[in-house]
Amino acid sequence: MRNIRLKVSYDGTNYHGFQRQDATHGPTIQGTLEEVWARLVDEEISLAMAGRTDKGVHALGQVVNFTTSARIPEEKIPKAINSLLPRDIRILKADCVPDTFNARWSAKWKRYDYQVDNNPIPNVFNRLYAYHEPIPMNVTKMQKAASFLEGFHNFKTFAAAGGTSKTFERTIYRCQVKEDQRLVRVSCVGDGFLYHMVRIIVGTLMDVGKGRIHPDEIPEIIASQKRERARVIARAQGLTLVHVNYTDDSPFDVFQDLVE
């Protein structure tokens, strides 16, 4: 038996999230990958995933792993699977990893990006990958608010109901807001994220940008540990899982755009 790791990219628009669900809900990324593997080598597998992305969320660098007795060389796996996958899912890389490796529990840190189209009229080419917000946002205030989210905190305020995490303490290494021609990007890099945490952070920062929350209120909102203090959950289509890291490399060494 080999433990195979896959790096996966997908457009989540047409899927009911990553995690396998009852067929009545519609197709999922996990279900699609497992079905294709069964067609390819006549073997049932169960994927472990780095992040359980929701319906409509995308990924540039999702990571999964599974054990297999199939003999197909790992260097040939991407081409073989991609030949059977729909065009909105691609396997970017496959390698053999130690038996102790788990895509979720072995991860050191992850990066998520969220895009907001802040133009009065939305760009049609961003409609699947950015949330349209026509109300002008003050990016400078959003940047100041984002800086308060960095560090080790109890993020219970930013955790939606329905999550399975038993603790709410997480470290955010970088929470960055950048803007280019009214396309606002929020990048969150951390050692782990709670259910809907990034989307709640983005919703809160958008409220800051629209003047509904003052940036200096963020520390108190975090300390309150009250979900009602950060009520807005940003829409799914603006969110992308960019990268999952399994080495001791710093996020700032991997991504130069995170360094001011």
PDB file of all heavy atoms in Angstrom, residues 117-136:
ATOM      1  N   ASP A 117     -15.146  42.584  -5.741  1.00  0.00           N
ATOM      2  CA  ASP A 117     -15.237  43.542  -6.835  1.00  0.00           C
ATOM      3  C   ASP A 117     -15.990  44.755  -6.306  1.00  0.00           C
ATOM      4  O   ASP A 117     -17.193  44.708  -6.100  1.00  0.00           O
ATOM      5  CB  ASP A 117     -15.977  42.902  -8.017  1.00  0.00           C
ATOM      6  CG  ASP A 117     -16.028  43.815  -9.237  1.00  0.00           C
ATOM      7  OD1 ASP A 117     -15.734  45.023  -9.098  1.00  0.00           O
ATOM      8  OD2 ASP A 117     -16.387  43.328 -10.335  1.00  0.00           O
ATOM      9  N   ASN A 118     -15.263  45.856  -6.086  1.00  0.00           N
ATOM     10  CA  ASN A 118     -15.855  47.041  -5.472  1.00  0.00           C
ATOM     11  C   ASN A 118     -16.202  48.119  -6.496  1.00  0.00           C
ATOM     12  O   ASN A 118     -16.358  49.290  -6.153  1.00  0.00           O
ATOM     13  CB  ASN A 118     -14.912  47.603  -4.404  1.00  0.00           C
ATOM     14  CG  ASN A 118     -15.584  48.513  -3.391  1.00  0.00           C
ATOM     15  OD1 ASN A 118     -14.982  49.438  -2.855  1.00  0.00           O
ATOM     16  ND2 ASN A 118     -16.863  48.280  -3.117  1.00  0.00           N
ATOM     17  N   ASN A 119     -16.347  47.714  -7.754  1.00  0.00           N
ATOM     18  CA  ASN A 119     -16.766  48.632  -8.797  1.00  0.00           C
ATOM     19  C   ASN A 119     -18.286  48.835  -8.738  1.00  0.00           C
ATOM     20  O   ASN A 119     -19.020  47.924  -8.340  1.00  0.00           O
ATOM     21  CB  ASN A 119     -16.397  48.088 -10.179  1.00  0.00           C
ATOM     22  CG  ASN A 119     -14.903  48.149 -10.442  1.00  0.00           C
ATOM     23  OD1 ASN A 119     -14.354  49.228 -10.656  1.00  0.00           O
ATOM     24  ND2 ASN A 119     -14.255  46.997 -10.425  1.00  0.00           N
ATOM     25  N   PRO A 120     -18.766  50.016  -9.134  1.00  0.00           N
ATOM     26  CA  PRO A 120     -20.222  50.239  -9.141  1.00  0.00           C
ATOM     27  C   PRO A 120     -20.962  49.218  -9.996  1.00  0.00           C
ATOM     28  O   PRO A 120     -22.037  48.744  -9.633  1.00  0.00           O
ATOM     29  CB  PRO A 120     -20.360  51.660  -9.705  1.00  0.00           C
ATOM     30  CG  PRO A 120     -19.038  52.312  -9.446  1.00  0.00           C
ATOM     31  CD  PRO A 120     -18.016  51.218  -9.550  1.00  0.00           C
ATOM     32  N   ILE A 121     -20.387  48.896 -11.134  1.00  0.00           N
ATOM     33  CA  ILE A 121     -20.935  47.866 -12.019  1.00  0.00           C
ATOM     34  C   ILE A 121     -19.944  46.716 -12.041  1.00  0.00           C
ATOM     35  O   ILE A 121     -18.753  46.918 -12.303  1.00  0.00           O
ATOM     36  CB  ILE A 121     -21.153  48.413 -13.441  1.00  0.00           C
ATOM     37  CG1 ILE A 121     -22.137  49.584 -13.409  1.00  0.00           C
ATOM     38  CG2 ILE A 121     -21.646  47.307 -14.373  1.00  0.00           C
ATOM     39  CD1 ILE A 121     -22.311  50.283 -14.736  1.00  0.00           C
ATOM     40  N   PRO A 122     -20.378  45.491 -11.768  1.00  0.00           N
ATOM     41  CA  PRO A 122     -19.426  44.387 -11.655  1.00  0.00           C
ATOM     42  C   PRO A 122     -18.772  44.017 -12.972  1.00  0.00           C
ATOM     43  O   PRO A 122     -19.372  44.148 -14.048  1.00  0.00           O
ATOM     44  CB  PRO A 122     -20.291  43.226 -11.142  1.00  0.00           C
ATOM     45  CG  PRO A 122     -21.675  43.559 -11.613  1.00  0.00           C
ATOM     46  CD  PRO A 122     -21.770  45.052 -11.534  1.00  0.00           C
ATOM     47  N   ASN A 123     -17.549  43.570 -12.875  1.00  0.00           N
ATOM     48  CA  ASN A 123     -16.831  43.024 -14.027  1.00  0.00           C
ATOM     49  C   ASN A 123     -17.361  41.616 -14.287  1.00  0.00           C
ATOM     50  O   ASN A 123     -17.273  40.744 -13.423  1.00  0.00           O
ATOM     51  CB  ASN A 123     -15.333  42.994 -13.703  1.00  0.00           C
ATOM     52  CG  ASN A 123     -14.485  42.501 -14.868  1.00  0.00           C
ATOM     53  OD1 ASN A 123     -14.913  41.676 -15.660  1.00  0.00           O
ATOM     54  ND2 ASN A 123     -13.260  43.010 -14.955  1.00  0.00           N
ATOM     55  N   VAL A 124     -17.913  41.388 -15.463  1.00  0.00           N
ATOM     56  CA  VAL A 124     -18.547  40.087 -15.739  1.00  0.00           C
ATOM     57  C   VAL A 124     -17.545  38.934 -15.656  1.00  0.00           C
ATOM     58  O   VAL A 124     -17.930  37.793 -15.377  1.00  0.00           O
ATOM     59  CB  VAL A 124     -19.244  40.079 -17.114  1.00  0.00           C
ATOM     60  CG1 VAL A 124     -20.378  41.083 -17.143  1.00  0.00           C
ATOM     61  CG2 VAL A 124     -18.252  40.350 -18.239  1.00  0.00           C
ATOM     62  N   PHE A 125     -16.270  39.222 -15.879  1.00  0.00           N
ATOM     63  CA  PHE A 125     -15.263  38.157 -15.858  1.00  0.00           C
ATOM     64  C   PHE A 125     -14.822  37.798 -14.438  1.00  0.00           C
ATOM     65  O   PHE A 125     -14.101  36.835 -14.229  1.00  0.00           O
ATOM     66  CB  PHE A 125     -14.051  38.554 -16.711  1.00  0.00           C
ATOM     67  CG  PHE A 125     -14.386  38.714 -18.161  1.00  0.00           C
ATOM     68  CD1 PHE A 125     -14.493  39.972 -18.725  1.00  0.00           C
ATOM     69  CD2 PHE A 125     -14.646  37.607 -18.953  1.00  0.00           C
ATOM     70  CE1 PHE A 125     -14.827  40.127 -20.063  1.00  0.00           C
ATOM     71  CE2 PHE A 125     -14.979  37.748 -20.294  1.00  0.00           C
ATOM     72  CZ  PHE A 125     -15.073  39.017 -20.850  1.00  0.00           C
ATOM     73  N   ASN A 126     -15.266  38.586 -13.460  1.00  0.00           N
ATOM     74  CA  ASN A 126     -14.964  38.286 -12.055  1.00  0.00           C
ATOM     75  C   ASN A 126     -16.152  37.680 -11.316  1.00  0.00           C
ATOM     76  O   ASN A 126     -16.033  37.344 -10.135  1.00  0.00           O
ATOM     77  CB  ASN A 126     -14.546  39.571 -11.313  1.00  0.00           C
ATOM     78  CG  ASN A 126     -13.180  40.060 -11.723  1.00  0.00           C
ATOM     79  OD1 ASN A 126     -12.336  39.290 -12.147  1.00  0.00           O
ATOM     80  ND2 ASN A 126     -12.960  41.363 -11.599  1.00  0.00           N
ATOM     81  N   ARG A 127     -17.278  37.513 -11.989  1.00  0.00           N
ATOM     82  CA  ARG A 127     -18.525  37.191 -11.288  1.00  0.00           C
ATOM     83  C   ARG A 127     -18.483  35.852 -10.551  1.00  0.00           C
ATOM     84  O   ARG A 127     -19.186  35.684  -9.549  1.00  0.00           O
ATOM     85  CB  ARG A 127     -19.703  37.202 -12.266  1.00  0.00           C
ATOM     86  CG  ARG A 127     -19.721  36.038 -13.253  1.00  0.00           C
ATOM     87  CD  ARG A 127     -20.777  36.238 -14.332  1.00  0.00           C
ATOM     88  NE  ARG A 127     -20.927  35.060 -15.166  1.00  0.00           N
ATOM     89  CZ  ARG A 127     -20.093  34.714 -16.128  1.00  0.00           C
ATOM     90  NH1 ARG A 127     -19.028  35.471 -16.384  1.00  0.00           N
ATOM     91  NH2 ARG A 127     -20.320  33.622 -16.849  1.00  0.00           N
ATOM     92  N   LEU A 128     -17.652  34.895 -11.010  1.00  0.00           N
ATOM     93  CA  LEU A 128     -17.572  33.591 -10.354  1.00  0.00           C
ATOM     94  C   LEU A 128     -16.482  33.538  -9.290  1.00  0.00           C
ATOM     95  O   LEU A 128     -16.453  32.597  -8.492  1.00  0.00           O
ATOM     96  CB  LEU A 128     -17.316  32.490 -11.389  1.00  0.00           C
ATOM     97  CG  LEU A 128     -18.361  32.332 -12.492  1.00  0.00           C
ATOM     98  CD1 LEU A 128     -17.946  31.205 -13.441  1.00  0.00           C
ATOM     99  CD2 LEU A 128     -19.741  32.079 -11.924  1.00  0.00           C
ATOM    100  N   TYR A 129     -15.598  34.531  -9.279  1.00  0.00           N
ATOM    101  CA  TYR A 129     -14.411  34.472  -8.426  1.00  0.00           C
ATOM    102  C   TYR A 129     -14.249  35.682  -7.521  1.00  0.00           C
ATOM    103  O   TYR A 129     -13.246  35.799  -6.820  1.00  0.00           O
ATOM    104  CB  TYR A 129     -13.165  34.292  -9.302  1.00  0.00           C
ATOM    105  CG  TYR A 129     -13.361  33.207 -10.335  1.00  0.00           C
ATOM    106  CD1 TYR A 129     -13.537  33.523 -11.676  1.00  0.00           C
ATOM    107  CD2 TYR A 129     -13.440  31.875  -9.945  1.00  0.00           C
ATOM    108  CE1 TYR A 129     -13.754  32.528 -12.609  1.00  0.00           C
ATOM    109  CE2 TYR A 129     -13.667  30.869 -10.869  1.00  0.00           C
ATOM    110  CZ  TYR A 129     -13.829  31.204 -12.198  1.00  0.00           C
ATOM    111  OH  TYR A 129     -14.068  30.202 -13.125  1.00  0.00           O
ATOM    112  N   ALA A 130     -15.216  36.574  -7.527  1.00  0.00           N
ATOM    113  CA  ALA A 130     -15.187  37.746  -6.649  1.00  0.00           C
ATOM    114  C   ALA A 130     -16.623  38.120  -6.294  1.00  0.00           C
ATOM    115  O   ALA A 130     -17.524  38.031  -7.133  1.00  0.00           O
ATOM    116  CB  ALA A 130     -14.484  38.925  -7.330  1.00  0.00           C
ATOM    117  N   TYR A 131     -16.819  38.543  -5.056  1.00  0.00           N
ATOM    118  CA  TYR A 131     -18.133  39.000  -4.610  1.00  0.00           C
ATOM    119  C   TYR A 131     -18.278  40.472  -4.971  1.00  0.00           C
ATOM    120  O   TYR A 131     -17.382  41.275  -4.710  1.00  0.00           O
ATOM    121  CB  TYR A 131     -18.281  38.802  -3.104  1.00  0.00           C
ATOM    122  CG  TYR A 131     -19.518  39.433  -2.532  1.00  0.00           C
ATOM    123  CD1 TYR A 131     -20.779  38.985  -2.896  1.00  0.00           C
ATOM    124  CD2 TYR A 131     -19.419  40.491  -1.631  1.00  0.00           C
ATOM    125  CE1 TYR A 131     -21.917  39.561  -2.381  1.00  0.00           C
ATOM    126  CE2 TYR A 131     -20.562  41.078  -1.102  1.00  0.00           C
ATOM    127  CZ  TYR A 131     -21.806  40.613  -1.486  1.00  0.00           C
ATOM    128  OH  TYR A 131     -22.937  41.193  -0.978  1.00  0.00           O
ATOM    129  N   HIS A 132     -19.406  40.833  -5.580  1.00  0.00           N
ATOM    130  CA  HIS A 132     -19.608  42.225  -5.965  1.00  0.00           C
ATOM    131  C   HIS A 132     -20.224  43.014  -4.819  1.00  0.00           C
ATOM    132  O   HIS A 132     -21.285  42.674  -4.301  1.00  0.00           O
ATOM    133  CB  HIS A 132     -20.522  42.323  -7.193  1.00  0.00           C
ATOM    134  CG  HIS A 132     -20.789  43.736  -7.598  1.00  0.00           C
ATOM    135  ND1 HIS A 132     -22.057  44.266  -7.735  1.00  0.00           N
ATOM    136  CD2 HIS A 132     -19.926  44.762  -7.863  1.00  0.00           C
ATOM    137  CE1 HIS A 132     -21.971  45.534  -8.078  1.00  0.00           C
ATOM    138  NE2 HIS A 132     -20.695  45.861  -8.170  1.00  0.00           N
ATOM    139  N   GLU A 133     -19.532  44.083  -4.436  1.00  0.00           N
ATOM    140  CA  GLU A 133     -20.012  45.017  -3.416  1.00  0.00           C
ATOM    141  C   GLU A 133     -19.956  46.419  -4.011  1.00  0.00           C
ATOM    142  O   GLU A 133     -18.878  47.014  -4.127  1.00  0.00           O
ATOM    143  CB  GLU A 133     -19.152  44.942  -2.158  1.00  0.00           C
ATOM    144  CG  GLU A 133     -19.510  45.954  -1.072  1.00  0.00           C
ATOM    145  CD  GLU A 133     -20.988  45.969  -0.764  1.00  0.00           C
ATOM    146  OE1 GLU A 133     -21.463  45.003  -0.127  1.00  0.00           O
ATOM    147  OE2 GLU A 133     -21.670  46.936  -1.169  1.00  0.00           O
ATOM    148  N   PRO A 134     -21.112  46.982  -4.413  1.00  0.00           N
ATOM    149  CA  PRO A 134     -21.095  48.296  -5.077  1.00  0.00           C
ATOM    150  C   PRO A 134     -20.843  49.470  -4.144  1.00  0.00           C
ATOM    151  O   PRO A 134     -20.442  50.551  -4.595  1.00  0.00           O
ATOM    152  CB  PRO A 134     -22.496  48.382  -5.692  1.00  0.00           C
ATOM    153  CG  PRO A 134     -23.357  47.510  -4.813  1.00  0.00           C
ATOM    154  CD  PRO A 134     -22.455  46.390  -4.366  1.00  0.00           C
ATOM    155  N   ILE A 135     -21.085  49.295  -2.824  1.00  0.00           N
ATOM    156  CA  ILE A 135     -20.848  50.397  -1.881  1.00  0.00           C
ATOM    157  C   ILE A 135     -19.335  50.606  -1.740  1.00  0.00           C
ATOM    158  O   ILE A 135     -18.601  49.666  -1.431  1.00  0.00           O
ATOM    159  CB  ILE A 135     -21.463  50.076  -0.504  1.00  0.00           C
ATOM    160  CG1 ILE A 135     -22.966  49.893  -0.620  1.00  0.00           C
ATOM    161  CG2 ILE A 135     -21.127  51.172   0.504  1.00  0.00           C
ATOM    162  CD1 ILE A 135     -23.638  49.451   0.666  1.00  0.00           C
ATOM    163  N   PRO A 136     -18.834  51.829  -1.975  1.00  0.00           N
ATOM    164  CA  PRO A 136     -17.392  52.067  -1.869  1.00  0.00           C
ATOM    165  C   PRO A 136     -16.864  51.716  -0.480  1.00  0.00           C
ATOM    166  O   PRO A 136     -17.497  52.021   0.539  1.00  0.00           O
ATOM    167  CB  PRO A 136     -17.260  53.577  -2.143  1.00  0.00           C
ATOM    168  CG  PRO A 136     -18.484  53.926  -2.926  1.00  0.00           C
ATOM    169  CD  PRO A 136     -19.574  53.042  -2.393  1.00  0.00           C
TER     170      PRO A 136
END
